[in-house]
Amino acid sequence: MLANGAKLEYKKKSDASDAYKELQGLKEIPDCGIEPEKVENTGLKDKNKQYENGIGDLGDMTYKFKYENKSATSTYRVLRQAQENGDVLSFKETLSDGTTTEYDAEVSVKRTGGGVNGVVEVETKMTICSDLKVTDPS
């Protein structure tokens, strides 16, 4: 499946309405999933090391957007303001097949550099503050 058609929406956790707002100019979505820590748990009578899965590490997820800063609702301004305020936002990523992943995160935003014929982008790193809620398409 192609990433084409994917979208990322956000809302403030304090927002009483359930209306997500789409972040415009999404160019790239990150890997998404839980990687449990491998924990060694070998007994004294075991002939080989024994392992089990520990707690998961979601890591950081980085999204890339087109750089645009012409209005107060531009992705760059919205996310930069959330970073400056230390806001935890709720996010909903929707793939073209209808699969959604919802989570809460703090954001870290940077504008990338550029050169001749180089595109300036906005990179947003998500520090996940909740579990992932994945909903399969119906």
Side-chain angles (χ1 to χ4, degrees), residues 24-59:
Q24 298 299 313
L26 183 62
K27 293 181 69 172
E28 188 176 307
I29 59 175
D31 294 345
C32 183
I34 300 168
E35 189 171 328
E37 185 176 329
K38 180 178 165 182
V39 178
E40 190 264 326
N41 192 13
T42 306
L44 294 174
K45 291 189 175 188
D46 293 327
K47 292 183 180 185
N48 301 298
K49 284 189 174 184
Q50 304 292 311
Y51 297 93
E52 58 187 80
N53 284 335
I55 62 172
D57 183 359
L58 295 170

Side-chain angles (χ1 to χ4, degrees), residues 45-106:
K45 291 189 175 188
D46 293 327
K47 292 183 180 185
N48 301 298
K49 284 189 174 184
Q50 304 292 311
Y51 297 93
E52 58 187 80
N53 284 335
I55 62 172
D57 183 359
L58 295 170
D60 292 330
M61 298 192 303
T62 301
Y63 290 85
K64 290 186 181 179
F65 296 89
K66 291 180 182 180
Y67 174 80
E68 186 276 311
N69 191 19
K70 295 180 182 174
S71 72
T73 59
S74 70
T75 296
Y76 179 62
R77 285 195 207 180
V78 166
L79 295 176
R80 197 181 75 223
Q81 188 67 50
Q83 174 184 323
E84 290 169 1
N85 293 342
D87 294 336
V88 174
L89 300 175
S90 295
F91 291 94
K92 180 179 179 181
E93 178 188 283
T94 304
L95 301 177
S96 61
D97 70 353
T99 302
T100 63
T101 304
E102 296 176 73
Y103 58 90
D104 297 335
E106 288 185 87

